[in-house]
Amino acid sequence: MSKKEIKKVVLAYSGGLDTSIIIPWLKENYNNPEIIAVAGNVGQGDGELDGLEEKAIKTGASKLIVADLVDEMVDDIIIPALKMDAMYETYLLGTAFARPVIGKKLAQIALAEGADAIAHGCTGKGNDQVRFELAIKRFAPGMKIIAPWREWSIKSREEEIDFAEAHNVPLKISRETNYSKDKNLWHLSHEGLDLEDPSNEPDYDKPGFLEMGVSPAMAPDKPTYVTISFEAGAPVAIDGEKMKASKIIEKLNKLGGENGIGIIDIVENRLIGMKDRGVYETPGGTILYRAHEQLEMITVDKDTLHLKKKLAVDYADLLYNGKWYSPLQEALTAFANESNKYVTGDVKMKLYKGNVIPAGMTSPYSLYSENLVTFGESDYDQKQSEGFINLWGLPTLVQALREQGKL
């Protein structure tokens, strides 16, 4: 399909630097098509969505559609990943969690609106282009995809700002605060500017840098305690108050943010082959992952837990690499659900200056027996261990006898 034939485009729109200038760029370079801006509400907060419709229409969109995707992202993607303890290297997958549901919704809206193409603002260097486009291919196969970063002559975010100023596109950032950020209910990422040099220490206490909380140094001197209740691996309550999972994350974000929890500075291996440095804020998610891991310790048997840790790497890779909508995901998610059927109970955590410290846990399905493990008197017959060791060590014994010529 030629540029002239494209009459209607659905644009993944956040109102950030990239997508803000794409609207006038598409108008100029694609024969003035109708542009429908689509913003996915993935819990980035009202501040990120305020004024978005006015801005989109003012810069050339025919309308803005805001799709509420918070609970779909949480219930369908984050909770299964939590059950699997999926983590990419040391990254809790914040951006990767949101992209599949946004990509799916873009495809659905494009089909419903009779669009000729879907456009996004992902760079040709990153992971998100893959995540979006694989979701689009799954739900709108054959749909034309426009990725301006792979077409235009703009080379940097500085040049993007130049383009915005020349086309009177309002921006919330300046050249000095031009970090590349991505925010949703689960996390906030920071990339670019001084962070591109890994020898630079992030200025966590600089006003406006951290948005979801404070640095550990600025956290209170008094710890905060919180008890999280789980049923079959999914969080269901905080301090005895039942609430849906998205609200639990929201509440833990507040508690964790206030105590400097979940701030990491990492260099990760991108799918396309380069290393990338980023600072991530994931306060609530960090607490949830740690609490879930604690409860698994007393409710999941050794063999299942050890296999689960291996599969968690594959699950995280699958999410990170954009293959959420795949048969492998469905199979691994089934394993995650089955392996968590006894992960029910309460976990108490102490939050203190960036640390998430276990402070006790209980479960009606606990495999832990104080009677068996105690250093005091118990029902366990210690003489039984001799026969176990003889059988367990039999291959070692046979090997030694062979080496000594005694077989």
Side-chain angles (χ1 to χ4, degrees):
M1 181 180 290
S2 69
K3 289 184 176 182
K4 290 183 178 181
E5 294 175 298
I6 295 175
K7 305 298 183 184
K8 186 183 291 188
V9 178
V10 165
L11 169 65
Y13 187 73
S14 67
L17 178 57
D18 297 317
T19 59
S20 292
I21 69 168
I22 284 175
I23 294 177
W25 184 87
L26 285 171
K27 289 284 188 180
E28 291 179 2
N29 290 272
Y30 275 80
N31 198 28
N32 195 31
E34 178 187 356
I35 298 172
I36 299 171
V38 176
N41 177 11
V42 286
Q44 60 267 53
D46 293 337
E48 296 287 323
L49 298 171
D50 288 346
L52 210 57
E53 182 177 23
E54 179 183 358
K55 179 178 179 179
I57 292 174
K58 185 178 179 180
T59 52
S62 63
K63 62 180 176 180
L64 172 74
I65 298 173
V66 178
D68 187 354
L69 304 172
V70 175
D71 288 327
E72 181 180 353
M73 176 185 73
V74 172
D75 297 339
D76 294 354
I77 301 182
I78 291 179
I79 297 305
L82 172 67
K83 290 181 178 182
M84 187 64 93
D85 303 309
M87 181 186 305
Y88 182 79
E89 297 172 355
T90 54
Y91 168 50
L92 288 181
L93 295 163
T95 301
F97 284 150
R99 294 317 189 221
V101 293
I102 296 173
K104 176 183 177 181
K105 182 56 68 173
L106 287 171
Q108 292 172 336
I109 291 174
L111 293 174
E113 294 283 347
D116 301 305
I118 295 173
H120 63 72
C122 307
T123 76
K125 293 183 177 181
N127 304 306
D128 284 342
Q129 58 181 336
V130 180
R131 296 165 181 160
F132 274 136
E133 294 186 29
L134 263 59
I136 293 167
K137 289 179 186 296
R138 171 63 179 81
F139 294 100
M143 179 67 68
K144 168 74 174 176
I145 297 174
I146 301 172
W149 269 106
R150 303 203 291 255
E151 295 185 28
W152 62 23
S153 60
I154 295 173
K155 303 297 184 185
S156 66
R157 289 177 66 84
E158 285 286 323
E159 290 186 14
E160 283 187 291
I161 294 174
D162 292 338
F163 185 96
E165 292 174 347
H167 290 76
N168 298 313
V169 176
L171 300 174
K172 292 183 179 180
I173 60 170
S174 68
R175 295 180 190 273
E176 292 71 34
T177 61
N178 184 24
Y179 288 105
S180 176
K181 297 187 178 187
D182 176 73
K183 188 176 185 181
N184 60 44
L185 179 66
W186 188 251
H187 91 148
L188 172 64
S189 64
H190 309 256
E191 296 174 316
L193 296 180
D194 56 305
L195 299 179
E196 291 184 347
D197 182 348
S199 69
N200 290 331
E201 178 183 5
D203 191 356
Y204 296 125
D205 296 324
K206 180 180 180 181
F209 182 75
L210 296 177
E211 297 181 26
M212 296 184 74
V214 299
S215 71
M218 301 299 289
D221 294 330
K222 181 180 178 180
T224 297
Y225 286 87
V226 61
T227 298
I228 305 167
S229 300
F230 291 85
E231 291 181 4
V236 295
I238 293 182
D239 294 331
E241 181 183 354
K242 292 267 189 177
M243 60 187 79
K244 64 181 182 179
S246 59
K247 291 299 181 183
I248 288 175
I249 295 170
E250 192 176 301
K251 180 75 175 289
L252 291 176
N253 278 341
K254 181 177 184 301
L255 295 175
E258 291 169 349
N259 287 278
I261 305 298
I263 302 168
I264 62 170
D265 173 10
I266 62 172
V267 175
E268 70 195 65
N269 290 292
R270 283 183 174 173
L271 170 61
I272 63 168
M274 65 181 69
K275 290 183 180 290
D276 174 61
R277 196 257 188 112
V279 169
Y280 296 97
E281 300 178 58
T282 318
T286 299
I287 299 168
L288 270 182
Y289 261 63
R290 188 69 188 278
H292 180 262
E293 288 173 349
Q294 288 296 119
L295 192 56
E296 284 185 316
M297 290 180 187
I298 63 171
T299 57
V300 181
D301 67 278
K302 172 185 172 181
D303 290 342
T304 302
L305 189 61
H306 285 193
L307 179 60
K308 196 165 152 299
K309 288 182 180 298
K310 298 174 184 177
L311 293 177
V313 176
D314 296 328
Y315 203 72
D317 282 350
L318 177 151
L319 259 164
Y320 188 85
N321 296 337
K323 290 192 173 183
W324 177 254
Y325 298 112
S326 65
L328 178 57
Q329 175 271 126
E330 294 174 2
L332 291 177
T333 297
F335 175 84
N337 289 330
E338 178 65 19
S339 64
N340 273 259
K341 66 182 180 181
Y342 295 120
V343 185
T344 294
D346 299 325
V347 183
K348 187 177 182 180
M349 308 299 283
K350 179 166 71 173
L351 314 178
Y352 183 67
K353 290 190 175 295
N355 296 291
V356 184
I357 305 167
M361 54 185 162
T362 62
S363 171
Y365 303 115
S366 177
L367 295 170
Y368 183 88
S369 170
E370 185 177 353
N371 176 60
L372 285 175
V373 79
T374 180
F375 283 100
E377 184 178 350
S378 75
D379 296 333
Y380 178 71
D381 182 2
Q382 299 194 34
K383 294 179 181 178
Q384 294 180 9
S385 62
E386 181 179 357
F388 167 76
I389 294 170
N390 287 337
L391 289 175
W392 185 252
L394 184 59
T396 303
L397 175 64
V398 171
Q399 172 125 358
L401 291 174
R402 183 185 67 178
E403 290 175 356
Q404 295 173 16
K406 295 180 180 180
L407 277 181

